[in-house]
Amino acid sequence: MNEKKRIGLLTTFYNFDPAYSLCSIVQHQLTALVRWGYKPVLFVLTNFEDQKRVPEGVEVRPIVPQFTLIDYADNQPVDESFEGYVQKSQQAFVENFQDIDIMLTHDIIFVGWFLPYCVAVHKAAEELPNLKWFHWIHSAPNPPSKVFPYPHSLRYKLPLNSKLVYLNNDHLLRASETYSIFPSEVRIIHNPVDPRLFWNLHPVVKNLIERYDLLDADFIDVYPLSTPRMGSDGK
């Protein structure tokens, strides 16, 4: 039997509050991975102190350097500390991704605030040629109006051994144009929403869902049930 791939999720989380949409998405992904026998690794900021909310069975590695971030969405000149941030992040990534086969990221290569991490990912990918990357972007992309110089150019280019992941087909062409790739190189994956997590269901309900594979059904009928008639006599 082949050993399952080691999957990592690279984030800039300092906590795991589900009120932040990306935390909810990562929570659902981690839960699904654990459910199917994987042992995922969650990479978070060095000041992360919210392990109790992370799904059971997930290894947490607080190795992502923490910086005072600047929004480079306008592609303005970078701060004098920028290259130091990049170098520190690159070193942390290369040292801690050695045992990872597949890395998932969310908005790391897309959002202007994360430009130092984006550049570090590009550089780390060159040092880790066996690592495969899947980069989610969670907003409608806008193809650049011109060619930007380094480091901004790397925000419009996929790192080595990478695939782009978008949420739906509506902006598939814009997503591919933003990164100068063919539409066939974009993977469409809808955001996962597991009702067992989203609705905070009772363990008995979760057990029924799993025992009878309700989430795999094509159609599910839910009938009203009078609680006084829930007794074993059926009356």
Side-chain angles (χ1 to χ4, degrees):
M1 184 176 180
N2 293 331
E3 185 177 352
K4 288 185 177 293
K5 300 288 188 181
R6 197 75 192 274
I7 299 178
L9 284 88
L10 174 61
T11 76
T12 58
F13 297 166
Y14 62 89
N15 65 19
F16 208 63
D17 187 351
Y20 178 34
S21 61
L22 290 189
C23 285
S24 295
I25 293 166
V26 169
Q27 178 191 29
H28 287 263
Q29 288 184 332
L30 290 171
T31 301
L33 288 169
V34 172
R35 172 70 176 80
W36 293 106
Y38 292 90
K39 298 179 180 179
V41 180
L42 177 64
F43 294 92
V44 293
L45 291 177
T46 53
N47 66 337
F48 184 88
E49 296 181 351
D50 206 4
Q51 283 88 345
K52 64 183 182 299
R53 293 190 186 183
V54 178
E56 186 176 353
V58 176
E59 178 187 345
V60 178
R61 294 186 192 174
I63 60 88
V64 180
Q66 182 184 13
F67 312 121
T68 300
L69 298 178
I70 297 173
D71 186 5
Y72 289 110
D74 294 330
N75 304 295
Q76 68 269 31
V78 297
D79 184 82
E80 60 182 8
S81 302
F82 182 85
E83 287 299 333
Y85 293 169
V86 171
Q87 183 176 4
K88 188 174 182 179
S89 299
Q90 177 187 354
Q91 181 178 353
F93 295 167
V94 172
E95 290 178 355
N96 291 279
F97 295 173
Q98 297 285 337
D99 61 333
I100 303 299
D101 300 300
I102 299 171
M103 185 68 73
L104 315 182
T105 78
H106 292 273
D107 279 347
I108 294 289
I109 68 167
F110 180 71
V111 174
W113 290 98
F114 300 149
L115 183 59
Y117 300 120
C118 169
V119 177
V121 164
H122 276 270
K123 294 178 179 292
E126 295 178 356
E127 295 191 60
L128 300 168
N130 294 323
L131 178 58
K132 298 184 184 302
W133 302 75
F134 291 87
H135 302 280
W136 266 255
I137 58 174
H138 290 276
S139 300
N142 291 309
S145 58
K146 62 179 182 179
V147 176
F148 290 101
Y150 171 91
H152 305 290
S153 58
L154 296 184
R155 204 157 60 87
Y156 304 101
K157 176 183 177 182
L158 288 184
L160 185 69
N161 293 331
S162 293
K163 294 293 184 184
L164 185 67
V165 182
Y166 193 59
L167 311 178
N168 54 61
N169 285 288
D170 288 350
H171 300 301
L172 172 60
L173 185 58
R174 286 171 58 182
S176 63
E177 290 176 343
T178 299
Y179 291 91
S180 299
I181 57 178
F182 291 108
S184 60
E185 297 179 80
V186 182
R187 301 291 183 262
I188 302 299
I189 301 178
H190 304 290
N191 279 342
V193 177
D194 188 333
R196 290 167 293 189
L197 299 174
F198 184 73
W199 288 329
N200 193 26
L201 298 177
H202 190 278
V204 172
V205 179
K206 293 181 181 179
N207 181 265
L208 290 173
I209 290 173
E210 294 171 4
R211 178 184 297 180
Y212 298 106
D213 293 326
L214 295 183
L215 297 182
D216 290 334
D218 294 321
F219 299 96
I220 300 175
D221 283 337
V222 180
Y223 292 94
L225 175 63
S226 174
T227 51
R229 300 193 178 195
M230 291 172 60
S232 58
D233 59 3
K235 296 180 180 179

